Amino acid sequence: MSITKKAKSALISVFHKDGLAPIVQKLNELGVIIYSTGGTEDFIKKLGIKVVPVEDLTSYPSILGGRVKTLHPKVFGGILARRENEQDLAQLVEYSIPELDIVIVDLYPFEKTVASGADEQDIIEKIDIGGISLIRAAAKNFKDVICVSSMNQYDEFLQIMTNGNGATTLEDRKNFAAKSFAVSSHYDTAIFNYLNKNEIAFRESYNTSSILRYGENPHQKGYFFGNLDELFEKLHGKELSYNNLLDVDAALNLMSEFKNDDPTFAILKHNNACGLAQRNSLKQAYLDALAGDPTSAFGGVLISNKTIDIETAQEINSLFCEVVIAPSYTIEALKLLKSKKNRIILIQKEIELPQVQYRTALNGVLFQEKDNKTDDASVISTATKKEPSKEELNDLFFASKICKHTKSNTIVLVKNKQLFASGTGQTSRVDALEQSIAKAKHFKFDLNNAVMASDAFFPFPDCVEIAKNAGINAVIQPGGSIKDQLSIDYCDNNEMSMIFTGIRHFKH
């Protein structure tokens, strides 16, 4: 078996013709016989290059409205024949089947058709049958055939043809075979996820990937699979790191709770909000968010739900931060924020984030629906005799939104739509509360008439007692403990209001 093989023939059947002309011209220059079908055949003819219609090879026309063109033994025999196998070669001669050394395919755009909102019939017609079969056959026989399975590979293939004067190495062919099965598996995954309504199955595939500087730590390799360009317009700064991406993800999910609200600004560190405030002006929202924990804000991720103006940018510019995210920036604000070389500046685009979440665990994958429940007036019930005031109720909902996006166990303290402090990721709810109170006091916040949110129920009245002693008078929590009445009784005996949501928001 020869490791390096000179191509004598090629089958080309592609949807996208962009970038194809230089390849066809190079193959013609190298004396490669070109077989083709339909629109690709017409495209090659218009270039003034000789092409053999596949119908001439198979003696069958394209039938069923183009659904069947290449599905024929004379096509697949020429691809799958093992060149070192005498019996295979003899059968090629017996049935007048030419060896096909190159297969170039670009599949029907199934995913784009789904994304366009097309009706089901149009989508079904974009399920490629012949193309995917050609890819699998050519990739399987990589010892003898090179398979170009996407327009994204045209440039690399053309370079190989040019440098090798029409010859490919086994390494080239095997490399393109791997790319081919990546294309086919991704394609099948997209079709399955579109059609599947009932089967519980985990199928995910991403064609776009980025190599990160490293993972969580410098000794770990890191990659991102997905297309960040769909979500952001990057205006400035260094590349996003693994940890940046986790913080940015947390920031986007948190700010989605306040998307259409008054000016709101959040500062996040290690996936949790260390500052968040809502005000009449964005500048004041930023200043009050920063006041929540100016120490932790150092090196954090900043996000706004409104256009960042020059007044806000002037305040931001004095803080060392890794990332700034907003729907837009004024020209003056952007110029100022760009003055720091490595500061990452992003515009968030209007796209829907995934509605499912998954991560590796043990020897498998955990998969769940996204927590899309937001606590509001429609879900609450007042458990105590005392009703929260209108101002307290607004703060309770505000605190609950933050609590939902903070690592469990968590307690969040809020006053006048400003995050005073939170206890994050504690093994005890009492520890979370005491941490948040200590932090609020450290930054000189007055907790009198502040409100408290908890991500899960209180099994004992200790938390409400500690909160009352700190000056807190209103509480929001899911309820559901068999000992709820103990907390309710304490609140009733101490002029506190407490509302139940019936919805737990653990975030592990």
Side-chain angles (χ1 to χ4, degrees):
M1 180 184 69
S2 174
I3 293 178
T4 300
K5 291 185 176 290
K6 182 100 171 181
K8 298 178 182 178
S9 62
L11 171 62
I12 307 176
S13 180
V14 302
F15 184 87
H16 292 104
K17 314 299 189 294
D18 297 345
L20 182 64
I23 290 176
V24 173
Q25 290 160 349
K26 174 56 68 173
L27 294 178
N28 182 61
E29 177 188 318
L30 294 167
V32 174
I33 299 171
I34 300 174
Y35 297 86
S36 192
T37 64
T40 308
E41 179 189 340
D42 292 339
F43 175 83
I44 295 171
K45 285 179 178 177
K46 287 177 181 177
L47 294 174
I49 292 173
K50 184 178 179 181
V51 57
V52 179
V54 166
E55 289 90 338
D56 289 359
L57 173 63
T58 63
S59 299
Y60 268 92
S62 173
I63 62 173
L64 305 181
R67 281 189 164 196
V68 180
K69 296 189 288 284
T70 57
L71 295 168
H72 193 280
K74 283 200 171 184
V75 173
F76 283 86
I79 295 170
L80 286 165
R82 294 157 290 189
R83 280 33 167 193
E84 77 283 5
N85 186 299
E86 292 184 5
Q87 186 174 359
D88 283 7
L89 296 178
Q91 288 187 323
L92 293 185
V93 172
E94 181 181 358
Y95 297 108
S96 302
I97 301 173
E99 295 179 13
L100 295 173
D101 307 313
I102 300 170
V103 173
I104 303 176
V105 175
D106 185 71
L107 298 170
Y108 293 160
F110 178 82
E111 288 179 282
K112 286 185 179 179
T113 306
V114 172
S116 73
D119 62 36
E120 184 169 270
Q121 187 55 43
D122 287 341
I123 291 170
I124 296 303
E125 288 305 315
K126 287 297 185 291
I127 297 177
D128 205 313
I129 303 301
I132 206 78
S133 301
L134 291 171
I135 286 172
R136 291 179 64 83
K140 175 178 180 176
N141 201 25
F142 66 84
K143 286 185 178 179
D144 300 303
V145 180
I146 187 165
C147 180
V148 181
S149 53
S150 167
M151 65 180 295
N152 298 326
Q153 301 162 19
Y154 288 175
D155 289 344
E156 184 181 358
F157 173 71
L158 180 59
Q159 185 176 3
I160 288 172
M161 286 289 101
T162 302
N163 294 344
N165 197 32
T168 61
T169 66
L170 180 59
E171 183 180 3
D172 292 331
R173 298 190 297 276
K174 194 169 186 179
N175 177 37
F176 272 75
K179 295 177 190 288
S180 297
F181 284 113
V183 167
S184 67
S185 63
H186 179 85
Y187 199 76
D188 286 343
T189 296
I191 296 169
F192 169 79
N193 285 335
Y194 170 74
L195 293 173
N196 181 46
K197 305 299 180 186
N198 302 311
E199 184 178 347
I200 298 173
F202 178 73
R203 301 283 190 279
E204 289 296 334
S205 176
Y206 294 93
N207 272 334
T208 307
S209 64
S210 305
I211 300 174
L212 304 175
R213 295 195 301 274
Y214 48 80
E216 282 184 290
N217 301 290
H219 62 277
Q220 296 170 269
K221 291 182 179 179
Y223 307 87
F224 175 76
F225 294 92
N227 187 355
L228 289 175
D229 291 338
E230 292 178 346
L231 183 58
F232 296 117
E233 180 182 351
K234 185 182 174 190
L235 303 178
H236 183 71
K238 61 184 179 181
E239 294 303 312
L240 286 157
S241 70
Y242 184 99
N243 293 331
N244 287 156
L245 290 169
L246 290 175
D247 283 331
V248 167
D249 176 71
L252 262 58
N253 283 296
L254 173 60
M255 192 53 71
S256 69
E257 303 283 354
F258 306 96
K259 180 179 177 182
N260 298 315
D261 291 356
D262 290 338
T264 307
F265 212 104
I267 304 172
L268 288 91
K269 195 74 172 288
H270 301 304
N271 306 162
N272 296 309
C274 59
L276 196 153
Q278 189 173 103
R279 294 292 182 259
N280 291 327
S281 74
L282 192 63
K283 173 184 173 181
Q284 196 58 50
Y286 167 73
L287 290 173
D288 288 347
L290 180 63
D293 188 345
T295 303
S296 295
F298 182 86
V301 168
L302 281 57
I303 186 166
S304 164
N305 70 341
K306 304 293 182 187
T307 299
I308 292 182
D309 51 32
I310 184 60
E311 292 81 11
T312 308
Q314 286 169 342
E315 299 295 339
I316 293 172
N317 201 48
S318 63
L319 174 73
F320 168 71
C321 58
E322 291 274 351
V323 185
V324 182
I325 310 166
S328 58
Y329 304 80
T330 65
I331 295 173
E332 297 85 358
L334 185 57
K335 181 178 179 181
L336 179 60
L337 292 174
K338 283 184 174 182
S339 64
K340 300 293 175 68
K341 178 182 176 182
N342 289 326
R343 179 184 285 150
I344 301 166
I345 304 174
L346 304 173
I347 289 179
Q348 183 183 352
K349 298 179 182 178
E350 287 286 336
I351 71 165
E352 184 179 351
L353 293 172
Q355 296 303 300
V356 295
Q357 298 171 319
Y358 47 87
R359 62 183 179 185
T360 58
L362 302 175
N363 61 341
V365 174
L366 286 170
F367 182 98
Q368 68 173 355
E369 296 176 343
K370 190 175 182 179
D371 181 1
N372 282 324
K373 297 282 188 181
T374 298
D375 299 335
D376 57 27
S378 67
V379 300
I380 65 167
S381 61
T382 303
T384 52
K385 295 175 182 177
K386 183 182 178 183
E387 295 269 355
S389 67
K390 181 179 178 181
E391 292 74 19
E392 286 174 332
L393 199 57
N394 287 335
D395 276 349
L396 288 167
F397 291 142
F398 189 86
S400 179
K401 289 177 180 179
I402 302 171
C403 196
K404 170 183 169 182
H405 294 276
T406 307
K407 292 287 186 180
S408 300
N409 285 322
T410 186
I411 294 289
V412 169
L413 306 180
V414 162
K415 186 175 176 180
N416 298 327
K417 292 189 176 179
Q418 180 183 14
L419 173 61
F420 274 14
S422 57
T424 65
Q426 299 303 304
T427 53
S428 159
R429 201 157 300 281
V430 171
D431 288 346
L433 175 55
E434 290 180 338
Q435 182 192 58
S436 61
I437 291 172
K439 193 171 182 181
K441 289 181 176 179
H442 175 75
F443 291 112
K444 310 301 182 185
F445 286 115
D446 179 6
L447 288 173
N448 285 307
N449 299 316
V451 306
M452 174 174 76
S454 173
D455 61 336
F457 62 63
F458 299 125
F460 303 102
D462 45 9
C463 280
V464 288
E465 181 176 358
I466 294 169
K468 177 63 179 179
N469 291 335
I472 294 162
N473 287 325
V475 180
I476 185 170
Q477 60 131 322
S481 170
I482 60 174
K483 296 183 178 181
D484 274 344
Q485 195 60 46
L486 295 176
S487 295
I488 295 170
D489 289 344
Y490 181 88
C491 289
D492 284 341
N493 293 331
N494 290 274
E495 289 297 307
M496 295 179 72
S497 63
M498 183 161 63
I499 60 176
F500 285 176
T501 65
I503 300 170
R504 190 184 74 184
H505 291 295
F506 271 165
K507 186 171 185 280
H508 281 64

